[in-house]
């Protein structure tokens, strides 16, 4: 069975303080390198008990180094108080939002199982740390897993200020490879800056063990509660702004810039509550949507009623002058009068009504209405001939064209119809 282990103290009395040499970091002290990296003791050797017993031995450390060099993951973050791996629901939400700050990155892992394994910059740092802890370099408690890591500028300052003095690894007994799914054995997943270590015999850093169970925020130690609360505040500010914020100063600056907008929002909210009589935002939105739907329905009904009224007015008006209209001219008058009324013109002021009033009954219409054979097809055929002849005169007759230029289409077409009626009547006679 695979289990994830984050090494930290379960209670203050489980930790015997070992002063961390990290708190005196400065360039040239043998611990902080010129490139800004540190060699730190990540885990000591031995068997510990927290829940189930676990052992960190030479094989475990060598597997840590092997997986980091050629397995997965090869990018291991350093965070604050295990925020990258904490099972706490609130911190998991922050991780999903990208609101968990990083304290640095692990660049190199090395197993140390004898004093001779301390070489180069690692040896220089280890000697400084051992001296501060009152130990000889070959003390077995100094052996185990060492890591070279590069802290962020913020993390380095917090270490220098004494806010954090210990390190704590998170590892899995048999972490699967991300490509094959095959277990890789003990694997380092993350490292945390913390102040409550579980392993109490390391040099400047310590490790702790945490079983993968959901944590109650009320049970967290004070530094962890502070980090959770701080991350929660930053996430709230980020949600308000729609962008990430990573520091207290940045959050404060952004909130101050929001003050005018927040004031306007409060005033706006007061107006909405007064108008709608509803302070619950969701209920207020529901009311607004209800009112908007009612207004849209009323507008549609009014438009339909107006359309029906115009249609009735046009039909009744044109019907009154039917004897003066051919079928094509009637359709044209209907379209023209409809357009005028839809544009808001009153019937008595419309150009179409004036034209209709000026028309006189057509001779052909009278002939059609006086026919005794009951044939409607003959009337329709005559109307088509009359309409065709009138259109021809609109293009060719000088008098009609002049009328069109002076008075417009309606009067010109009326003249063309009169002339066409006479011409066709003469031919028929």
């Amino acid at each position: 069975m695979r289990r994830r282990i984050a090494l930290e103290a379960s209670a203050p009395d489980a930790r015997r303080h070992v002063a961390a040499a990290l708190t005196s970091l400065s360039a040239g002290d043998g611990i902080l390198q010129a490139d800004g990296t540190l060699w730190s003791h990540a885990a000591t050797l031995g068997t510990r008990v927290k829940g189930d017993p676990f052992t960190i031995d030479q094989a475990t450390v060598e597997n840590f180094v092997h997986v980091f060099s050629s397995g997965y993951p090869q990018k291991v973050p350093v965070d604050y108080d295990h925020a990258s791996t904490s099972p706490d629901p609130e911190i998991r939400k922050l991780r999903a939002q990208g609101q968990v700050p990083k304290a640095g990155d692990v660049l190199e892992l090395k197993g140390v199982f004898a004093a001779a394994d301390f070489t180069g910059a690692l040896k220089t740092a280890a000697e400084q740390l051992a001296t501060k802890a009152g130990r000889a370099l070959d003390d077995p408690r100094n052996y185990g897993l060492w890591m070279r890591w590069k802290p962020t500028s913020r993390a380095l300052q917090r270490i220098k200020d004494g806010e954090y003095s210990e390190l704590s690894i998170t590892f899995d007994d048999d972490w699967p490879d991300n490509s094959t799914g095959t277990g890789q054995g003990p694997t380092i997943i993350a490292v945390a800056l913390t102040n409550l270590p579980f392993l109490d015999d390391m040099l400047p850093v310590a490790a702790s063990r945490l079983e993968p169970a959901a944590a109650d925020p009320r049970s967290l130690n004070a530094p962890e509660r502070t980090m959770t609360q701080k991350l929660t505040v930053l996430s709230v500010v980020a949600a308000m702004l729609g962008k990430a914020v990573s520091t207290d100063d940045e959050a404060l600056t952004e909130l101050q810039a929001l003050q005018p907008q927040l004031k306007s929002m409060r005033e706006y909210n007061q107006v909405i509550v007064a108008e709608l009589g509803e302070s619950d935002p969701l209920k207020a939105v529901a009311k607004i949507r209800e009112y908007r739907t009612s207004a849209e329905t009323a507008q549609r009904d009014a438009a339909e009623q107006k359309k029906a009224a115009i249609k009735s007015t046009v039909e009744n008006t044109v019907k009154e002058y039917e004897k003066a209209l051919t079928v094509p001219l009637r359709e044209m008058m209907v379209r023209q009068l409809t357009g005028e009324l839809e544009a808001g013109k009153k019937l008595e002021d419309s150009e179409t009504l004036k034209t209709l009033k000026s028309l006189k009954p057509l001779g052909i219409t009278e002939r059609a209405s006086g026919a005794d054979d009951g044939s409607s097809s003959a009337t329709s055929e005559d109307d088509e001939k009359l309409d065709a002849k009138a259109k021809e005169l609109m293009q060719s007759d000088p008098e009609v064209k002049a009328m069109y230029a002076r008075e417009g289409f309606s009067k010109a077409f009326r003249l063309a119809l009169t002339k066409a009626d006479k011409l066709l009547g003469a031919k028929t006679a």
Side-chain angles (χ1 to χ4, degrees):
M1 179 179 68
R2 203 175 74 239
R3 62 188 175 195
R4 187 178 299 185
I5 302 169
L7 303 180
E8 65 184 4
S10 57
D13 60 359
R15 172 178 177 264
R16 293 195 304 275
H17 180 68
V18 178
L22 289 178
T23 58
S24 62
L25 292 176
S26 62
D29 66 358
I31 300 174
L32 180 63
Q33 303 300 308
D35 63 357
T37 61
L38 306 171
W39 274 106
S40 297
H41 196 189
T44 190
L45 301 174
T47 298
R48 299 292 187 275
V49 177
K50 184 181 180 183
D52 296 331
F54 69 98
T55 299
I56 298 178
D57 54 17
Q58 181 170 342
T60 301
V61 171
E62 288 176 343
N63 204 77
F64 286 158
V65 175
H66 170 72
V67 172
F68 181 77
S69 301
S70 58
Y72 172 80
Q74 295 179 27
K75 293 182 179 179
V76 174
V78 180
D79 58 33
Y80 298 97
D81 296 298
H82 296 288
S84 294
T85 56
S86 171
D88 179 78
E90 291 301 319
I91 297 181
R92 290 177 65 182
K93 289 180 183 178
L94 297 178
R95 282 204 300 269
Q97 299 167 4
Q99 297 301 312
V100 172
K102 185 170 65 172
D105 294 288
V106 177
L107 304 180
E108 182 179 352
L109 294 180
K110 181 177 177 61
V112 173
F113 312 108
D117 293 332
F118 289 114
T119 59
L122 169 59
K123 181 178 181 180
T124 302
E127 287 174 341
Q128 292 284 336
L129 297 174
T131 298
K132 290 179 182 294
R135 298 184 194 172
L137 183 62
D138 60 359
D139 189 314
R141 293 174 295 176
N142 301 341
Y143 303 157
L145 179 68
W146 284 74
M147 73 180 207
R148 185 171 66 88
W149 64 292
K150 187 169 186 177
T152 63
S153 58
R154 181 186 178 198
L156 184 61
Q157 189 60 50
R158 297 185 77 175
I159 293 170
K160 289 180 178 180
D161 291 342
E163 293 183 20
Y164 283 97
S165 60
E166 316 290 341
L167 285 180
S168 173
I169 64 171
T170 298
F171 70 96
D172 192 281
D173 285 336
D174 193 19
W175 192 250
D177 184 275
N178 65 333
S179 297
T180 66
T182 303
Q184 304 170 111
T187 303
I188 295 287
I189 299 170
V191 182
L193 281 172
T194 186
N195 289 315
L196 290 176
F198 179 65
L199 301 182
D200 58 1
D201 51 2
M202 296 168 59
L203 279 174
V205 292
S208 57
R209 178 187 175 94
L210 179 68
E211 298 302 329
D216 182 347
R218 294 171 297 181
S219 68
L220 299 176
N221 57 56
E224 288 174 318
R225 282 199 303 273
T226 300
M227 174 58 67
T228 301
Q229 293 164 356
K230 186 171 184 179
L231 291 174
T232 302
V233 171
L234 292 179
S235 69
V236 170
V237 175
M240 291 174 60
L241 300 175
K243 65 179 182 179
V245 290
S246 56
T247 67
D248 295 339
D249 290 341
E250 184 181 355
L252 181 60
T253 300
E254 295 288 356
L255 287 176
Q256 288 173 338
L258 279 177
Q259 285 302 312
Q261 298 178 44
L262 293 175
K263 180 180 179 181
S264 298
M265 289 173 63
R266 285 194 298 271
E267 294 172 350
Y268 176 77
N269 183 63
Q270 292 170 357
V271 173
I272 292 296
V273 171
E275 290 295 326
L276 298 178
E278 184 57 70
S279 59
D280 187 305
L282 293 178
K283 292 181 179 179
V285 169
K287 273 195 174 183
I288 291 173
R289 288 174 176 167
E290 179 182 345
Y291 293 153
R292 184 173 62 189
T293 300
S294 298
E296 290 172 350
T297 301
Q299 288 175 350
R300 285 195 300 269
D301 291 345
E304 290 297 326
Q305 292 173 6
K306 180 181 178 181
K307 185 177 179 181
I310 289 175
K311 182 179 179 182
S312 177
T313 299
V314 169
E315 288 179 349
N316 292 334
T317 301
V318 172
K319 185 176 182 180
E320 185 178 348
Y321 298 94
E322 254 183 349
K323 292 184 178 181
L325 300 172
T326 63
V327 173
L329 183 58
R330 183 186 189 283
E331 293 175 355
M332 184 189 74
M333 292 296 105
V334 169
R335 288 195 301 271
Q336 184 169 307
L337 182 56
T338 300
E340 288 185 283
L341 296 181
E342 287 179 345
K345 185 164 286 190
K346 294 182 179 180
L347 175 63
E348 56 270 23
D349 297 331
S350 67
E351 293 298 322
T352 305
L353 182 60
K354 293 176 183 178
T355 300
L356 289 171
K357 286 181 177 181
S358 69
L359 298 178
K360 295 180 180 180
L362 298 174
I364 188 167
T365 304
E366 293 173 350
R367 290 195 298 273
S369 62
D372 57 2
D373 58 1
S375 173
S376 61
S377 61
T379 299
S380 176
E381 183 179 349
D382 289 342
D383 283 348
E384 291 177 2
K385 289 179 180 179
L386 180 62
D387 184 57
K389 188 63 176 178
K391 289 179 178 178
E392 178 186 333
L393 293 175
M394 286 288 290
Q395 300 294 326
S396 61
D397 188 280
E399 185 181 1
V400 174
K401 293 170 70 175
M403 176 67 76
Y404 179 73
R406 290 194 315 272
E407 305 292 342
F409 178 81
S410 295
K411 290 187 177 182
F413 195 67
R414 168 67 183 132
L415 178 59
L417 283 171
T418 301
K419 286 193 171 191
D421 186 46
K422 290 179 180 179
L423 291 173
L424 292 175
K427 290 182 181 181
T428 303

